[in-house]
Amino acid sequence: MTHIASLFLKLNRLSFLLIVFFLINVCLLGKTQAENSKQTQNLEQVQKLKQAQSKEAYNPTANVTPSIYVTAYPDHIVAIEGNFLIWKDGSKMPIKNLVKLETFKEALDNPDLYRQLIIPYTPGPLKNPPTEDSDPGRIRYVPFFQKMYGGTQEEVRKNLVEVEWLPRTFKGVSAVKLLVTQVNDVSDKIKKISAELDDLVQKKPHYKKYLKNPGGTFSWRLIAGTDRPSSHSFGMTIDINVAHSHYWLWDYKKAHGLSLETELKESSISDKNVPAYKNDIPWDIVAIFEKHHFIWGGKWFHYDTMHFEYRPELYRKDTN
Ligand SMILES: [Zn+2]
């Protein structure tokens, strides 16, 4: 009898140990599964972020639709024929040049009509700071803009008219007149933008500070630190108040103890040395410009938050 009882006790102890062992394993397995699913989630997030970034960054073999030039500039471009843009006056302009390029920086210095479309401009509130190379609109094929807006300072000036800037807000001695081009109805669009901003300031008077003393419109010049003409040369660009804006090159110079007048080549500053993104311009202001197909420099990695430029070709067809 004693023998049977001791055997029973041993068996019980053994099954107790087995149960404990089993439970430990179940816990460990559960933990590993939880860790695995967390890792999978993290991986998915990284992949999604990479996909979102690669959509914006420069891809030299991206599929673009040059026919957007016909819809974006109906007063000038009538058709696409093969590799050529056909202008209303019958002249042809090549879309893709034959130089093989791989990087965004090479494309900035060797632009063509194809490369100009590669980085799409995404309308709507900015969700994240722009990633490296994501400067939609900074690749400009200059002969295209010269043919539309004027090839010399005198030619551009012939198309400029004065537009009153927010006439309800800035009147009397504080009235401001902007010099903008009539080409592509830019002056009419600026009038509409101005009226909508006037309405906005009536509702939100604290926005007045961003819009008073605009930094300028027409200016026949090169982009600071480059040999590339500024879009201000064509009269379809406006800078709002510099005092409440951020510009990457000024921030870089300030961070390095340099005066703003210091000559510095943009190409000498690598992407990793571009200052961290900054912006104070309220989205409500940007939204009004976007409605009229102006792009905002606040969506550039090389940020320029005062800068708005009429670039309808960068708005995809579905947003037109
Ligand atoms: Zn500007």
Side-chain angles (χ1 to χ4, degrees):
M1 194 61 194
T2 327
H3 184 68
I4 290 169
S6 92
L7 186 71
F8 187 71
L9 259 175
K10 265 186 199 163
L11 268 175
N12 248 357
R13 212 174 288 156
L14 191 67
S15 51
F16 173 75
L17 283 172
L18 274 171
I19 287 168
V20 168
F21 181 70
F22 175 75
L23 284 174
I24 289 172
N25 264 323
V26 165
C27 283
L28 282 177
L29 191 71
K31 205 177 161 198
T32 320
Q33 273 176 347
E35 273 171 3
N36 277 348
S37 99
K38 205 175 166 190
Q39 273 176 358
T40 314
Q41 271 178 3
N42 283 346
L43 265 176
E44 278 170 6
Q45 277 170 358
V46 169
Q47 267 167 354
K48 267 186 196 162
L49 191 69
K50 276 190 176 164
Q51 274 168 5
Q53 287 178 343
S54 68
K55 228 171 82 185
E56 283 176 349
Y58 183 77
N59 168 11
T61 58
N63 265 328
V64 302
T65 44
S67 60
I68 191 79
Y69 286 115
V70 183
T71 40
Y73 296 103
D75 293 349
H76 302 274
I77 315 298
V78 290
I80 304 292
E81 278 176 18
N83 188 38
F84 291 93
L85 212 65
I86 311 297
W87 290 71
K88 216 170 193 169
D89 64 7
S91 60
K92 290 180 169 187
M93 195 174 261
I95 293 169
K96 227 174 179 176
N97 72 30
L98 299 172
V99 184
K100 191 174 178 289
L101 296 171
E102 299 298 342
T103 70
F104 170 70
K105 284 181 179 58
E106 286 172 322
L108 272 180
D109 289 326
N110 299 280
D112 62 14
L113 289 167
Y114 164 82
R115 294 185 182 109
Q116 188 165 285
L117 299 177
I118 284 182
I119 306 177
Y121 183 82
T122 308
L126 192 64
K127 293 187 185 90
N128 295 299
T131 52
E132 278 182 29
D133 291 356
S134 190
D135 287 354
R138 286 192 84 219
I139 297 176
R140 301 179 189 89
Y141 184 57
V142 173
F144 174 76
F145 298 101
Q146 286 180 330
K147 188 163 170 59
M148 265 192 308
Y149 296 107
T152 62
Q153 177 162 195
E154 291 65 39
E155 279 178 20
V156 175
R157 277 189 185 279
K158 275 182 211 157
N159 296 315
L160 300 181
V161 290
E162 281 186 341
V163 173
E164 272 190 85
W165 185 236
L166 278 72
R168 276 194 289 156
T169 307
F170 307 118
K171 48 194 165 205
V173 284
S174 62
V176 182
K177 280 182 179 160
L178 300 178
L179 211 48
V180 290
T181 186
Q182 295 181 83
V183 176
N184 294 322
D185 298 326
V186 168
S187 51
D188 288 342
K189 291 174 208 296
I190 294 277
K191 265 181 214 162
K192 285 181 190 158
I193 290 168
S194 173
E196 288 172 46
L197 288 172
D198 241 345
D199 290 343
L200 181 67
V201 172
Q202 300 299 311
K203 282 180 237 151
K204 297 182 175 179
H206 56 291
Y207 281 4
K208 193 173 159 180
K209 65 177 180 186
Y210 301 106
L211 300 160
K212 72 173 190 186
N213 302 327
T217 51
F218 171 70
S219 170
W220 186 262
R221 62 173 165 86
L222 298 176
I223 299 169
T226 77
D227 298 322
R228 309 192 303 271
S230 160
S231 68
H232 286 277
S233 304
F234 304 116
M236 50 35 158
T237 299
I238 170 171
D239 286 344
I240 57 171
N241 193 355
V242 175
H244 294 282
S245 303
H246 292 94
Y247 177 45
W248 75 276
L249 192 56
W250 290 344
D251 287 345
Y252 178 90
K253 287 179 182 174
K254 278 183 224 159
H256 289 79
L258 303 168
S259 79
L260 297 187
E261 290 74 39
T262 310
E263 292 267 339
L264 204 57
K265 285 276 162 213
E266 177 181 317
S267 53
S268 69
I269 304 166
S270 68
D271 281 355
K272 68 175 170 30
N273 291 322
V274 170
Y277 180 80
K278 292 176 203 73
N279 171 49
D280 287 340
I281 307 298
W283 164 245
D284 294 357
I285 291 178
V286 179
I288 290 173
F289 280 97
E290 286 194 349
K291 190 177 150 194
H292 297 280
H293 293 168
F294 281 67
I295 60 167
W296 176 45
K299 288 191 175 171
W300 295 342
F301 178 69
H302 294 85
Y303 56 88
D304 184 357
T305 71
M306 70 197 90
H307 183 96
F308 293 91
E309 172 180 344
Y310 182 63
R311 296 292 297 282
E313 79 277 22
L314 295 172
Y315 283 76
R316 295 234 161 119
K317 271 180 196 158
D318 50 1
T319 64
N320 276 345

